[in-house]
Amino acid sequence: MTTDGAPTEAVTDASESPAATVDRRPSRTGAVLALLPALVAALAGGLYTWPGLLAGVAGFLGLVTGLARGSRTAVTLGAAGLFGGAVLAGTEGAPVGPVLVGAVAAVVAWDTATTAVSVGEQLGRAAETRRLEVTHALASAGVGAVTVGLSYGVYLAGAGGRPVAALLLLLVAAVLLALALD
Amino acid sequence: MNRRRLALVAGLLALAVGVAVAASPGLLGLAVDRALVTALGVVTLLVAVRQVAARRGVDTEAAVTPTPEHRVPTPPPGEDLRDSLGGFLSSGRLPYNQAVRGLRAAAVEVLAQYEGLSETEAERRVEAGTWTDDGYAAAYLGGEAAPDPPSPGILRRAVAGGVPKHRKVRHTVSAIAERAGLEPRSEGDTAGPPEEPPESFSDSPFSVTRERATRTADGEGAATQGGDDPPRGAEDDGAGTVTVARAARATNRWQGVGAVAFVGIAAGVLASEPAALLAGAAGIGFAAYARATPLEPGVSDSDDGTAAEGLSVDRSLDPAEPDPGVAVAVTVAVTNERDRPVPDLRVVDGVPEALSVAEGSPRHGTALQAGECATFEYEVRATRGRHTFGPAAVIAKDLSGGVEETRLVGPETTMACRPTLRATTEPVPLRQRAARFAGRVETDTAGAGLEFYATREYRPGDALSRVDWNRRARTGELSTVEFRSEQAATVMVVVDARPQSYAAPAPDTPHALDRGVEAAGRLYGSLTATGNQVGVAAFPSVTGWLAPGAGEEHERRVRELLTTHPDLSPAPGEDPMTVAAGRSRLRRRLSAGTQVLFVSPLCDGRGADLARWLDEYGYPVTVLSPDPTADRTAGHRLARVARGLRLRELRGRGVPVIDWAADESVDAALARSNRREGP
């Protein structure tokens, strides 16, 4: 048994039979649901600055690739690109509203896209999964909307001559709280 | 946990001081330095990097679902070339590095059998390389004197160091097959290789239901398949059993979402832009969502149980007792019996091992309100045998997908598909042999019967009705007509149910045992219709035996045996008995003079040995051999050559063999055989 380490596969013809396997690529519904927020994210940041547009488009393409091939890594990198685009637009002076919406949309796109990948892996493309994915995407979008609303409210309330030290302390608080949550 | 609490306390403290400073400026006489702000930004960025890196460390593995769509693989003989090579040396499997030895034996045997050469002459030709036109093959098996192989070309010699071994093997096998008169079949494009179980299969919690499919002998039972949590035992709740296949656990899919917040904050601080700062808020919002999802299954919900617990699965089949080949609609209903919704529900039904899904998908994903029910439907094509639908695998998740639990829920549903015992359109060729009852076997002796045989001189005592009166009127002589004597046979149809019979040329064609069992039913119908006593047996089985008989009750029992006997199960099971034990058992039970119709694919030497052995012991044997061989790889082809040799050898010893190709009906095979053997 130990002497026959030879490649027996090499002797067999390596022709694939698509009929014999389940199509485990991400579901179509999930892909469409993920591309909507991805488009929003790419546009929200990209309309204001060139670097933002560049990062946004690259991120969008990454997400599309990930959805086509069922790769979580590509989806995550793509979503990171979308988010990076929004942040870049923010650092170059884009208005608060679109940047906030773009960043949140990037996270929603990631959530929906990875769910589509997971549904593809566990159930495959042939299964009926619309209700599951729409539920998930709606919940994610709801969380995003609440986040945008609250953040924008805080921004409006905080605008105006507050001392920088207070802002700094609040930031430290935000970082520590986020650490505690994660 | 401790560090988390520390961060929480410090964060709340900073928040309080910050709010206080914002409310009354001057409370803290701190001159904020630009360098301090930059330092904060850099530290935040570092924290973000750490968050991303931390994702690598956690277990983000999701539950793996089974693939019940397709039948358990039944590969054709020779799937492993080493088995085919060993077939010519009677030494079991042969290592690949001894391929030359096995191929030489094959070439010599083929030359000896098909070209009528003596063994030494065949060996001499192989040694000299004159047995084939194929240069690679001749050189590969030949000795010193053999011709040189064709030059492989400069590039190949430089890069690969000559012709690769597998190519030489393929050439040689093709040359041997050509000598054995086997036409290559053009099936390479249409039929793929038999399906392999998914790679991650052995990690799957569902390996329980399909572990025989993988034929892995790792000995891991159901108890250890659940990964970190063994099944908690079954609980009966009316709708069948519920087994926890994988306990509720964090999927960790949101791990590292905090990095989004830190990157935003760092960018905002470093660039002094509130917009970028606020982008970080997205991270905080979703981190909170991931941690505080309202619908968590399984987490310390002792009184309410977990999300998957309140689920029940119901299955109905239409029709419940189908005939072979009929499409059966399977309707699965999943009900959420709890008072809380299940936001993410994924169901994979437990399709029987030996059935393939014909239409639709046995998978479904949905979200269920409290008390709501979802149904889905798919179709399977019924095949002979008793099939059991296992419990469905149910994966329930919470709204954010952060927690996941897998259970096997639902009843087992059994579907019995009984073969028809419809008589074959062609008579079954039995061996000529006298027996005690009138029946189907035509003898070469004159006696009572229907068919004219001869006339002879009248002897006193001959019945008046048998006198040839026409002749008497013509010539005045008294003569008596004799008819061909027809006698009944006692026939035992023995189906070879060893694991070797679970072989099919392509993934979606029936395997040799299914074809054999179907044929056994039809042979029974045909033979009993012509007055024979017929029994049915599985070889080598302890209990699969039905003594020869006829009549309605006997027919019912034959049908039942062919449908439900575990040794004739449509999915491969354990080896029931050794060949030797089965053989002596068979001999003890066969009464003298019984004809044996042996249904075997003859995929290995032992099937042929049994046929020969029975014949030598005085049971006239006829072999019906469903051909399961394929022609895609060198191994398949070599196995085909070996089977051809076995058929030839049996026929040479006077045992009639009916070769039944995979793409023809048993009637066609019988017709072909009757034409050849016919008058």
Side-chain angles (χ1 to χ4, degrees):
Chain A
M1 219 26 65
T2 50
T3 52
D4 53 37
T8 43
E9 287 84 359
V11 194
T12 59
D13 299 324
S15 57
E16 281 299 321
S17 146
T21 50
V22 179
D23 188 354
R24 290 192 186 265
R25 283 176 298 166
S27 69
R28 289 205 173 83
T29 319
V32 170
L33 285 174
L35 287 181
L36 281 175
L39 205 62
V40 169
L43 289 179
L47 285 181
Y48 294 93
T49 62
W50 283 112
L53 184 65
L54 210 67
V57 168
F60 187 79
L61 291 180
L63 200 81
V64 169
T65 315
L67 283 171
R69 305 181 51 180
S71 156
R72 279 202 173 79
T73 313
V75 164
T76 305
L77 287 178
L82 289 174
F83 178 72
V87 170
L88 272 180
T91 57
E92 302 232 336
V96 170
V99 171
L100 189 56
V101 168
V104 168
V107 180
V108 173
W110 175 85
D111 185 22
T112 323
T114 47
T115 302
V117 172
S118 135
V119 164
E121 279 172 359
Q122 291 184 334
L123 297 178
R125 205 169 246 197
E128 163 63 54
T129 56
R130 232 171 294 163
R131 188 161 174 194
L132 185 162
E133 288 179 292
V134 168
T135 307
H136 191 96
L138 281 181
S140 192
V143 172
V146 169
T147 306
V148 168
L150 282 180
S151 312
Y152 203 69
V154 167
Y155 168 73
L156 287 182
R162 304 287 177 200
V164 185
L167 183 67
L168 207 64
L169 278 167
L170 288 177
L171 277 181
V172 170
V175 168
L176 288 170
L177 288 178
L179 264 180
L181 278 176
D182 198 44
Chain B
M1 202 63 218
N2 227 350
R3 275 170 64 187
R4 177 165 279 163
R5 191 160 296 162
L6 198 69
L8 188 69
V9 170
L12 289 175
L13 200 70
L15 184 70
V17 177
V19 168
V21 171
S24 59
L27 194 71
L28 212 65
L30 193 67
V32 179
D33 193 1
R34 176 74 209 156
L36 196 66
V37 175
T38 311
L40 179 66
V42 170
V43 167
T44 317
L45 208 57
L46 286 176
V47 172
V49 170
R50 245 201 67 202
Q51 289 267 305
V52 173
R55 196 178 160 87
R56 289 187 177 279
V58 300
D59 174 22
T60 51
E61 205 177 284
V64 179
T65 52
T67 312
E69 273 89 347
H70 297 281
R71 215 181 55 186
V72 168
T74 48
E79 192 70 358
D80 189 337
L81 179 68
R82 292 169 297 184
D83 292 331
S84 308
L85 285 171
F88 294 94
L89 288 172
S90 63
S91 63
R93 64 165 41 185
L94 201 64
Y96 190 60
N97 56 18
Q98 293 185 37
V100 177
R101 211 154 68 84
L103 289 172
R104 263 184 182 223
V108 168
E109 204 172 332
V110 164
L111 289 179
Q113 288 286 330
Y114 285 89
E115 321 237 318
L117 303 177
S118 71
E119 197 125 309
T120 41
E121 172 64 13
E123 267 169 23
R124 198 192 58 72
R125 286 200 189 176
V126 171
E127 183 75 18
T130 54
W131 61 282
T132 174
D133 301 332
D134 190 312
Y136 290 110
Y140 189 53
L141 297 189
E144 306 276 304
D148 288 330
S151 172
I154 293 167
L155 192 65
R156 170 157 264 160
R157 205 159 24 195
V159 176
V163 178
K165 181 175 178 179
H166 66 87
R167 250 192 92 190
K168 293 184 197 167
V169 170
R170 208 151 47 194
H171 270 273
T172 309
V173 170
S174 296
I176 292 172
E178 195 199 322
R179 277 277 161 266
L182 294 182
E183 297 290 324
R185 296 183 199 153
S186 57
E187 61 182 23
D189 301 329
T190 51
E195 101 198 54
E196 294 287 335
E199 261 173 55
S200 53
F201 207 81
S202 52
D203 306 328
S204 153
F206 311 104
S207 312
V208 197
T209 50
R210 297 243 156 189
E211 65 187 345
R212 276 185 291 157
T214 60
R215 292 191 183 164
T216 48
D218 54 353
E220 257 185 277
T224 53
Q225 290 287 353
D228 42 1
D229 215 58
R232 255 187 249 154
E235 35 186 293
D236 206 80
D237 63 350
T241 57
V242 178
T243 315
V244 179
R246 204 167 182 245
R249 49 182 275 152
T251 56
N252 292 326
R253 69 186 289 258
W254 287 102
Q255 180 78 39
V257 72
V260 169
F262 298 128
V263 167
I265 291 169
V269 167
L270 290 176
S272 304
E273 281 288 344
L277 194 72
L278 275 173
I284 298 175
F286 279 93
Y289 171 54
R291 278 201 67 74
T293 309
L295 305 159
E296 282 184 279
V299 178
S300 64
D301 251 356
S302 51
D303 52 336
D304 225 1
T306 55
E309 194 177 299
L311 294 168
S312 69
V313 173
D314 225 359
R315 192 186 296 110
S316 64
L317 306 178
D318 178 41
E321 300 223 330
D323 285 332
V326 167
V328 179
V330 184
T331 310
V332 183
V334 192
T335 314
N336 177 14
E337 289 173 350
R338 288 202 321 169
D339 49 359
R340 287 202 282 169
V342 182
D344 186 326
L345 183 64
R346 304 169 187 200
V347 183
V348 183
D349 198 21
V351 184
E353 282 177 312
L355 290 183
S356 293
V357 173
E359 205 168 317
S361 171
R363 300 152 184 269
H364 192 68
T366 190
L368 285 182
Q369 295 286 343
E372 205 184 355
C373 174
T375 57
F376 62 99
E377 203 179 299
Y378 61 95
E379 261 181 23
V380 293
R381 180 98 25 213
T383 58
R384 188 274 320 168
R386 186 206 285 271
H387 305 279
T388 304
F389 287 79
V394 175
I395 303 174
K397 299 191 190 206
D398 67 349
L399 193 57
S400 70
V403 181
E404 169 185 274
E405 183 181 14
T406 309
R407 288 186 177 224
L408 299 172
V409 188
E412 291 200 337
T413 314
T414 302
M415 175 179 98
C417 177
R418 296 186 163 74
T420 56
L421 306 185
R422 184 163 49 90
T424 52
T425 55
E426 287 284 326
V428 181
L430 286 175
R431 304 276 292 273
Q432 297 199 348
R433 179 121 187 158
R436 283 166 295 167
F437 310 102
R440 184 60 229 171
V441 175
E442 289 168 358
T443 57
D444 267 335
T445 46
L450 298 169
E451 192 184 348
F452 173 81
Y453 186 68
T455 55
R456 62 167 168 76
E457 221 171 89
Y458 176 81
R459 291 193 215 117
D462 280 350
L464 283 184
S465 63
R466 300 273 293 275
V467 170
D468 190 351
W469 293 111
N470 292 337
R471 189 166 175 159
R472 164 83 177 152
R474 224 170 29 243
T475 62
E477 283 171 37
L478 264 178
S479 57
T480 306
V481 178
E482 289 204 311
F483 296 93
R484 188 187 290 273
S485 154
E486 283 183 1
Q487 290 177 343
T490 309
V491 185
M492 201 69 207
V493 181
V494 179
V495 180
D496 186 351
R498 293 174 306 137
Q500 283 83 356
S501 293
Y502 292 96
D508 287 324
T509 50
H511 52 71
L513 183 77
D514 263 352
R515 292 170 65 203
V517 171
E518 189 220 322
R522 299 200 54 196
L523 294 176
Y524 176 86
S526 191
L527 288 168
T528 47
T530 47
N532 298 295
Q533 304 275 307
V534 188
V536 175
F539 177 84
S541 165
V542 185
T543 51
W545 177 277
L546 209 57
E552 226 164 86
E553 172 62 16
H554 194 260
E555 190 177 310
R556 198 192 56 75
R557 285 168 62 194
V558 165
R559 245 184 135 192
E560 211 51 40
L561 177 91
L562 293 180
T563 311
T564 59
H565 197 276
D567 289 342
L568 297 174
S569 146
E574 275 81 48
D575 218 341
M577 228 177 162
T578 64
V579 173
R583 203 168 67 170
S584 53
R585 196 177 178 84
L586 196 61
R587 214 195 134 204
R588 271 204 310 278
R589 289 187 145 187
L590 280 173
S591 49
T594 305
Q595 292 230 17
V596 174
L597 248 170
F598 186 44
V599 184
S600 166
L602 299 178
C603 289
D604 65 338
R606 292 187 161 181
D609 285 349
L610 180 77
R612 215 174 48 222
W613 185 85
L614 285 171
D615 203 59
E616 281 165 6
Y617 267 92
Y619 305 104
V621 175
T622 307
V623 179
L624 173 65
S625 183
D627 182 1
T629 58
D631 197 38
R632 288 185 297 275
T633 69
H636 294 163
R637 210 163 294 153
L638 208 54
R640 216 178 135 206
V641 171
R643 183 173 171 276
L645 281 169
R646 259 172 241 134
L647 261 62
R648 211 181 151 83
E649 204 205 330
L650 273 180
R651 283 177 181 148
R653 286 170 187 266
V655 176
V657 182
I658 305 161
D659 192 6
W660 176 16
D663 52 2
E664 65 179 2
S665 68
V666 67
D667 299 310
L670 291 176
R672 198 153 31 75
S673 164
N674 284 343
R675 265 201 309 280
R676 200 175 42 231
E677 315 253 321

